[in-house]
Amino acid sequence: MQLKPLARSLAAALSIVVIAGCSSTGGTQDGDSYGSQDGSTTGSSTSGTGTGSQYGSTSGSGAGQQADSRIPEVRTIYFDYDRDTIKSEYESVVMAHARYLRANPNAQVVLHGHTDERGTREYNMALGERRAGAVERFLNIQGVSSSQMSVVSYGEERPAVNGQDESAYAQNRRVVFNY
Amino acid sequence: MHSLSKVWLFCLLLLVSSAASANLTIEITRGSDQALPIGVVPFAGSDGLPEDVAQIVQDDLERSGYFAPLARSAMFEQPSQSDDVQFDTWRSLDVRYLVVGQAEQTDGGFELQFELMDISGQRRMIGETVTVRGDDLRGAAHYISDQIFEEITDIRGAFSTKIAYVTAQGIGDDMQFGLYVADADGRRSEQVLTSDEPIMSPAWSPDGTKLAYVSFETERPAIYIQDVATGQRVQATSFEGINGAPAWSPDGRRIAMSLSKDGQPEIYIMDVGSRSAERITNNNSIDTEPAWAPDGQSLLFTSDRSGGPQLYQYSLGGGEAQRLTFTGNYNARGRYSPDGEQIFLIHRSSNGYQVARQDLSGDRLVVLSESTRDESPSVAPNGTMVIFATQQGGNGVLSAVSADGRSSFRLPSAQGDVRDPAWSPFLN
């Protein structure tokens, strides 16, 4: 059970190294491209976080350090119904936050866990905490200090959107990075 | 009359403590086919009074599901005292019971007289003169409803009780939450707390004077205890992680709650006086939503230790928690009936999330509600009804169903979502 997310992290890290090689030619535009790519659709979100190359090494490139001085713009990731697994399409988002937090040891993040409205309120509080906790563990594995992170579950109390359909539910099942 | 004046005092203090109002109105959604036909004749002398006492009594009795009131338009006689009641007239209307009365304005308030008649037995069952101080005609009407209900059913009436509930408006980061206390019929609501951070899980102290609830006002959840009459409040917990699902012990000295300071939500019992918390559950799963058995000897709670949420009962005498629910893969937020023999809960069926009942002597589960997005069941102190939160037209509304599932009503609100109802204990 422990190995599975780690293996996925490594795979994602490999892809980042490859992409980082390409984006390094972008030079000073790293900061901008970082943001706009992150804001794009999930299909390209892996490339969106490709500005940093420090994963697995302690020395970062100049471009990477510049990007890591900014809080990543994508601060919400979404979950499947009744699950707390970080979906592969969002691992790059979480990794961008990991890089930022590693590069900025004084930065603090509060991970807000949310659920959709179905089910009982206090049980949903627990599910929201599980989601945020999964992100916290992932960040921890990526080398982020526990002292930089805390978790607050809002359960179903603060939906992002109104509605009683799957599309609304999907947007409400989320973890938000709050700096 | 002493007990009634306590209710008035309670109401009066409530009025002092708050301002805003968000009344809920009642819609009967299902009537019981076993309801007893009753006539509640308009009280003589009530023209021009601020409240129609007989109408309030009639609505109370109808809402209970135990009674089917006769329409006023069918009453071709309107007696106001037992001597004037023509039993044959009412028997021909298939009425089994009749309530007659009169109202009179006095110096400091009102005087109400009512009598309850058994039509088939051709006798007067009870009658009383009720003195009303100030303008609390609604309180007096609920008191009369309580007397009538108990005389006929042998069950204590719960019309003079209160409900607490939470309202929410807005979306995402821009939301407004309110905690309200209203009469059991949704009227005379009073805001007791407002916040731009979530408020949830209100729970009445057994003496009906305090509410424990969860508030996120410090940007994380904490349990607060608030005196309903004075508004005075204290923060009772500030543990890391979830501080949730407060439930008062029947003796009012302890509060069971769910705390995740150890990594995952566990059931704790906190001593209200010393604030020391004792851990009750210990495992790697979610344990939350505790409820005390009426005898204070065991706790009912939700746990996903079997994979999905199910209800468990833990005896405070020791031993392992026993799983109670086996129907379906989602059973949560259990509450005991006042006699401790049944539990009410949220059950996920193929239709959705519904209020259900299960006898503790067996494991057969009966779905009670017809709605499908139900949450937060809370049992009336006399065990006859369960109030819960559900959805109507995309809005959160409160709804109630009788413990036997035969009758139900809804309390729609004009403003925003209404959720998390908590039925008070008896207050008089």
Side-chain angles (χ1 to χ4, degrees):
Chain A
M1 288 299 281
Q2 295 274 347
L3 281 175
K4 208 173 152 195
L6 184 59
R8 250 192 275 125
S9 307
L10 287 171
L14 276 174
S15 70
I16 283 164
V17 170
V18 172
I19 294 155
C22 307
S23 68
S24 65
T25 55
T28 56
Q29 287 184 338
D30 265 350
D32 291 331
S33 64
Y34 179 77
S36 61
Q37 283 176 352
D38 255 357
S40 65
T41 56
T42 51
S44 60
S45 65
T46 307
S47 62
T49 60
T51 49
S53 58
Q54 305 104 307
Y55 182 74
S57 106
T58 47
S59 63
S61 70
Q65 278 172 349
Q66 197 175 22
D68 291 342
S69 68
R70 298 175 53 160
I71 298 171
E73 289 194 12
V74 175
R75 293 174 200 171
T76 305
I77 65 170
Y78 299 93
F79 290 79
D80 285 337
Y81 175 61
D82 217 13
R83 302 298 295 269
D84 58 10
T85 315
I86 298 167
K87 295 160 84 171
S88 55
E89 64 203 270
Y90 296 116
E91 282 175 359
S92 55
V93 176
V94 183
M95 284 223 274
H97 288 276
R99 277 193 304 280
Y100 172 77
L101 288 162
R102 281 199 312 267
N104 299 278
N106 292 324
Q108 296 280 328
V109 67
V110 183
L111 302 165
H112 287 180
H114 300 269
T115 68
D116 68 34
E117 65 176 30
R118 291 171 292 176
T120 65
R121 306 197 91 87
E122 289 283 2
Y123 188 70
N124 280 341
M125 283 291 292
L127 294 181
E129 185 175 71
R130 262 191 190 161
R131 283 186 180 141
V135 174
E136 185 183 38
R137 279 193 301 282
F138 190 108
L139 291 171
N140 200 230
I141 289 166
Q142 302 300 320
V144 177
S145 162
S146 300
S147 65
Q148 288 178 270
M149 303 182 283
S150 58
V151 160
V152 174
S153 174
Y154 279 88
E156 62 176 287
E157 307 302 318
R158 269 199 186 282
V161 297
N162 282 319
Q164 276 81 39
D165 53 25
E166 179 48 38
S167 134
Y169 294 154
Q171 292 177 75
N172 290 332
R173 293 189 298 264
R174 67 203 195 277
V175 168
V176 181
F177 297 77
N178 282 270
Y179 288 91
Chain B
M1 290 323 297
H2 174 69
S3 57
L4 186 58
S5 40
K6 263 199 288 190
V7 181
W8 288 326
L9 187 63
F10 181 79
C11 299
L12 209 71
L13 290 168
L14 261 181
L15 283 168
V16 169
S17 69
S18 54
S21 161
N23 279 328
L24 308 173
T25 51
I26 300 270
E27 284 172 20
I28 305 279
T29 44
R30 204 189 325 161
S32 167
D33 52 3
Q34 296 187 2
L36 299 165
I38 190 167
V40 184
V41 181
F43 282 19
S46 58
D47 282 352
L49 295 189
E51 298 286 351
D52 184 340
V53 172
Q55 188 67 50
I56 297 169
V57 171
Q58 176 173 325
D59 291 346
D60 280 348
L61 296 174
E62 181 172 23
R63 205 171 64 246
S64 74
Y66 282 73
F67 294 95
L70 180 71
R72 278 186 177 181
S73 55
M75 299 176 184
F76 40 84
E77 287 176 11
Q78 298 204 339
S80 61
Q81 51 187 351
S82 52
D83 289 348
D84 300 336
V85 172
Q86 305 289 325
F87 289 103
D88 289 345
T89 303
W90 299 98
R91 200 178 295 126
S92 72
L93 291 167
D94 289 328
V95 165
R96 277 187 63 179
Y97 301 97
L98 190 71
V99 179
V100 295
Q102 40 200 312
E104 197 184 326
Q105 193 139 16
T106 60
D107 274 352
F110 304 90
E111 198 167 272
L112 303 176
Q113 281 184 349
F114 80 93
E115 291 172 285
L116 170 65
M117 316 292 294
D118 174 357
I119 295 299
S120 46
Q122 300 202 17
R123 66 185 180 101
R124 178 183 183 272
M125 297 175 78
I126 49 167
E128 189 176 328
T129 301
V130 182
T131 306
V132 185
R133 272 187 292 145
D135 62 355
D136 188 21
L137 280 169
R138 295 198 72 88
H142 294 315
Y143 170 81
I144 292 171
S145 303
D146 284 338
Q147 308 314 307
I148 294 166
F149 186 83
E150 180 163 359
E151 179 65 22
I152 296 173
T153 66
D154 279 334
I155 301 166
R156 187 172 173 186
F159 304 109
S160 300
T161 55
K162 300 270 174 186
I163 47 170
Y165 55 90
V166 174
T167 60
Q169 287 170 289
I171 191 72
D173 293 332
D174 185 19
M175 291 184 76
Q176 198 64 37
F177 299 85
L179 177 62
Y180 285 81
V181 172
D183 285 1
D185 62 1
R187 301 290 299 273
R188 298 199 293 188
S189 62
E190 304 285 347
Q191 192 170 53
V192 297
L193 183 71
T194 179
S195 177
D196 53 11
E197 293 287 341
I199 301 167
M200 57 190 294
S201 304
W204 291 91
S205 64
D207 65 1
T209 64
K210 295 184 185 71
L211 285 170
Y213 54 82
V214 176
S215 167
F216 282 67
E217 63 201 65
T218 60
E219 297 189 343
R220 46 178 60 252
I223 293 172
Y224 295 77
I225 298 173
Q226 180 165 336
D227 187 289
V228 178
T230 66
Q232 231 173 10
R233 58 200 291 267
V234 289
Q235 184 174 342
T237 68
S238 54
F239 296 106
E240 197 179 325
I242 290 171
N243 295 238
W248 297 80
S249 63
D251 65 8
R253 292 190 191 147
R254 293 160 289 167
I255 296 179
M257 57 184 67
S258 182
L259 302 174
S260 67
K261 62 192 181 77
D262 309 304
Q264 68 288 317
E266 302 282 1
I267 306 294
Y268 277 77
I269 294 177
M270 193 184 79
D271 185 277
V272 175
S274 70
R275 298 284 153 78
S276 67
E278 178 197 354
R279 183 167 169 172
I280 299 299
T281 58
N282 194 343
N283 57 65
N284 285 321
S285 53
I286 293 169
D287 293 317
T288 186
E289 301 174 335
W292 293 82
D295 65 4
Q297 298 303 304
S298 49
L299 287 173
L300 179 68
F301 63 96
T302 308
S303 177
D304 75 341
R305 59 188 65 182
S306 70
Q310 295 291 346
L311 291 176
Y312 291 77
Q313 185 169 247
Y314 173 81
S315 166
L316 295 180
E320 284 289 299
Q322 300 294 316
R323 180 172 166 181
L324 298 180
T325 52
F326 294 91
T327 308
N329 56 14
Y330 194 114
N331 295 295
R333 224 279 192 174
R335 289 290 184 268
Y336 288 96
S337 61
D339 63 10
E341 290 176 7
Q342 298 173 323
I343 53 172
F344 298 92
L345 59 133
I346 295 299
H347 167 70
R348 184 172 65 196
S349 67
S350 55
N351 294 325
Y353 297 82
Q354 299 187 285
V355 177
R357 185 193 74 223
Q358 184 174 313
D359 291 340
L360 283 180
S361 54
D363 58 12
R364 196 171 73 93
L365 184 141
V366 181
V367 171
L368 301 177
S369 64
E370 287 174 338
S371 42
T372 57
R373 293 196 185 98
D374 302 344
E375 290 190 281
S376 312
S378 175
V379 187
N382 65 0
T384 58
M385 296 221 91
V386 180
I387 195 166
F388 58 97
T390 188
Q391 300 255 343
Q392 182 189 19
N395 259 333
V397 296
L398 302 186
S399 194
V401 63
S402 60
D404 61 11
R406 286 203 175 96
S407 66
S408 62
F409 65 85
R410 215 168 20 218
L411 297 110
S413 162
Q415 45 180 215
D417 275 319
V418 185
R419 75 265 298 256
D420 247 343
W423 209 314
S424 81
F426 290 116
L427 299 171
N428 46 359

